[in-house]
Amino acid sequence: MSPRGRRFASSVRARASLGATAVVAVALVAAGIAVVLSLRSNLTDQAGRSADTAAREVALDIASLVPDQTSYAGLDLPDDSGHPVQVSDERGRLLRASEDLQRISGTGVSAVTPAKSPAASPAPGGTTAPGDDEDSADDDSGADDNGSDDHGSDDHGGDDKGGDDDASGDDDPAVGEISDGTSYSDGSATVDGTTGDYRFAAVEVTDRAGRTVVVHAGASLADRQAAVSTTTVTMLLGLPVLLLVVGGVTWLVTRRAFRPVEGIRREMAAITASTDLSRRVPEPATDDEVARLARTTNETLTALEAAVERQRRFVADASHELRSPIASLRTQLEVGDAHPELLDVPGAVADTVRLQQLAADLLLLARLDAGERPGRARFDLSAMVREEVSQRTTDRVPVTLDVRTGLEAAGSRGQLARVLGNLLDNAQRHAHASVTASVYRSGGQVVLAVADDGSGVPEAERERIFERFVRLDDARSRDDGGAGLGLAIARDVAARHDGTLTVGRAPEGGALFELRLPRPDGASPGSTGCTDSPSGTDSPGTTSSPDAGHAA
């Protein structure tokens, strides 16, 4: 198969068209078979009813014969080719038949010439057809034609295909009565030189002389065969045309439906080739699956563009932040090399420490961006806060502790200690005389709060301070303000621990940072809702306010 043929066979449009055509073909074939069978059955039943009507008309004439009649020669039989009639006794001997009937099968009485009875007087209906020798039709010949001497009315019925009752000699109708039951069979007959298929009805009747006979009447199945043949041919001719229409319509509909998808593909290919993430795929004006796909694709492109832009800014800001301490350190080393007595060792050490801290921050951010998830080990959060605060011996403002004992958290102890350190460093830079670290329980969460009495953060900047390399006071020196990564790292770590980090307004008027983590025995990880603690303890009176803030 050529590449183009393989592409066609593998396309969704081709598969949808072929699948729809195949399903419709199977449905039409099944429906056509059902229609033909139903039509055949209905026409067969109609022919059976017509044959039954003709048989009962003849039976009615027989039932009305006077008792002293000894022959059925004067019996009026239908002379049309559509309803051939045979009258036979219970032993299957032919008593009377339609004049134009030349050959018959399916009734159990194959003779078409009445047989002469061997009795002294001829049996009713025992006259022969004009031109035939009366002595040539004896009992043996009649029996041979019928196939058996002992045929009952069940034999006359042949294949019973829906008769109400069998015409049985064991339950003969009363004198002058016609049996209520009718047996049916299919066969063929030659009438006036024309052979055709017939539906035969057999009805028993007892004449006024007490003799029970069976009337076989047929109805032509030519109309049934013609209708079935016409219907079958019409369906066979119309099926390919209808399948072509279904396949073509499906092809056109799917082509129209997938046209926006092709537009999305082309635009995505162009975006990939140009690396211009500001471009967007066309969105159809509809509200179907393709339109939702286009909107989702554009949302993905927007997020990707934002991520790439954030990465570019991160690289640029990191380069800028690294350049300053490196340049300062180089200058001091060059001066020390030329004039050893002028070497500022403490300054070089400070720049080296700052450079080391910045590199550690960048490395942690890279690990967080890579999706690194902390472990789920449980540890005592209260003890961790006390330990970290006790090691801060050089803080400008002493840290006041308000810690409930025995509160645990799950995750990376080192990363959460880094969050506490960043929050305390931030509070030390902006506090006037008070910094408080609190640990308490709130519903199904454990809260680590750091508050100060500084000037706080403007309400409009409360989300921006968590962005990377953001420092609200551009006039601050880097030594005092840091690199602007502390709060960004703190929020990323909180998110990796299925928690949140928000800024509010402290009672002292400064900033209140609240790190909320799910309790290991409380709410499930990732749940933002709070549930009541089993112990029922509440926060120590310091709550977050939606309009609080802090300067980074």
Side-chain angles (χ1 to χ4, degrees), residues 258-294:
F258 283 108
R259 187 176 298 164
V261 178
E262 178 61 21
I264 294 173
R265 188 202 65 79
R266 285 197 300 265
E267 186 63 23
M268 288 296 294
I271 292 174
T272 303
S274 65
T275 66
D276 182 7
L277 296 179
S278 63
R279 299 174 60 174
R280 296 295 180 266
V281 300
E283 294 186 14
T286 58
D287 191 25
D288 53 10
E289 293 81 357
V290 177
R292 291 194 290 271
L293 172 64

Side-chain angles (χ1 to χ4, degrees), residues 5 18 27 88 195 218 231 237 244-245 283 286 354 473 495 505:
L18 293 177
S88 63
T195 301
T231 303
L237 293 178
L244 287 176
V245 172
E283 294 186 14
T286 58
R354 185 169 179 273
D473 187 1
R505 184 174 185 82

Side-chain angles (χ1 to χ4, degrees), residues 134-207:
E134 233 181 272
D135 294 335
S136 64
D138 55 10
D139 286 343
D140 291 338
S141 64
D144 290 339
D145 287 339
N146 294 334
S148 173
D149 244 354
D150 299 326
H151 279 323
S153 59
D154 284 343
D155 294 326
H156 298 309
D159 303 335
D160 189 353
K161 297 185 179 180
D164 297 330
D165 293 302
D166 289 338
S168 173
D170 295 337
D171 189 17
D172 294 338
V175 175
E177 297 293 333
I178 302 173
S179 173
D180 292 334
T182 304
S183 61
Y184 297 93
S185 63
D186 290 336
S188 62
T190 302
V191 181
D192 197 17
T194 302
T195 301
D197 294 330
Y198 287 81
R199 179 73 167 169
F200 293 103
V203 177
E204 283 190 345
V205 59
T206 301
D207 60 17

Side-chain angles (χ1 to χ4, degrees), residues 445-465:
Q445 294 178 321
V446 177
V447 181
L448 169 60
V450 175
D452 63 66
D453 60 350
S455 59
V457 176
E459 185 175 354
E461 303 291 346
R462 290 175 185 170
E463 284 300 317
R464 182 169 173 264
I465 61 174

Side-chain angles (χ1 to χ4, degrees), residues 264-418:
I264 294 173
R265 188 202 65 79
R266 285 197 300 265
E267 186 63 23
M268 288 296 294
I271 292 174
T272 303
S274 65
T275 66
D276 182 7
L277 296 179
S278 63
R279 299 174 60 174
R280 296 295 180 266
V281 300
E283 294 186 14
T286 58
D287 191 25
D288 53 10
E289 293 81 357
V290 177
R292 291 194 290 271
L293 172 64
R295 286 193 292 271
T296 303
T297 302
N298 284 335
E299 292 171 0
T300 303
L301 289 173
T302 301
L304 182 60
E305 181 185 15
V308 171
E309 183 61 28
R310 185 168 59 250
Q311 187 70 17
R312 288 173 179 170
R313 288 200 308 268
F314 176 77
V315 172
D317 293 337
S319 301
H320 178 71
E321 293 294 333
L322 288 171
R323 182 177 58 183
S324 298
I326 291 175
S328 175
L329 182 61
R330 178 181 177 181
T331 300
Q332 295 181 43
L333 293 176
E334 288 177 348
V335 170
D337 182 52
H339 307 281
E341 69 280 2
L342 298 179
L343 178 61
D344 184 9
V345 176
V349 172
D351 285 338
T352 303
V353 171
R354 185 169 179 273
L355 186 61
Q356 181 183 11
Q357 292 175 345
L358 182 58
D361 288 344
L362 294 176
L363 178 60
L364 179 57
L365 283 174
R367 289 164 52 191
L368 294 175
D369 289 341
E372 179 181 289
R373 304 288 296 184
R376 306 309 301 173
R378 296 173 59 167
F379 63 92
D380 191 332
L381 182 63
S382 302
M384 185 269 289
V385 172
R386 289 193 184 95
E387 180 181 346
E388 292 296 322
V389 172
S390 65
Q391 295 176 2
R392 300 178 65 90
T393 58
T394 60
D395 283 344
R396 180 177 60 87
V397 178
V399 178
T400 303
L401 289 178
D402 185 4
V403 177
R404 298 292 178 90
T405 60
L407 296 183
E408 293 185 336
S412 172
R413 189 182 189 281
Q415 290 185 4
L416 292 177
R418 182 69 173 274

Side-chain angles (χ1 to χ4, degrees), residues 11 22 67 81 90 117 130 158 186 214 313 317 325 338 390 414 433 437 472 474 516:
S11 68
S81 60
E90 291 185 296
S117 173
D186 290 336
V214 181
R313 288 200 308 268
D317 293 337
S390 65
L472 299 185
D474 293 334
R516 293 179 176 268

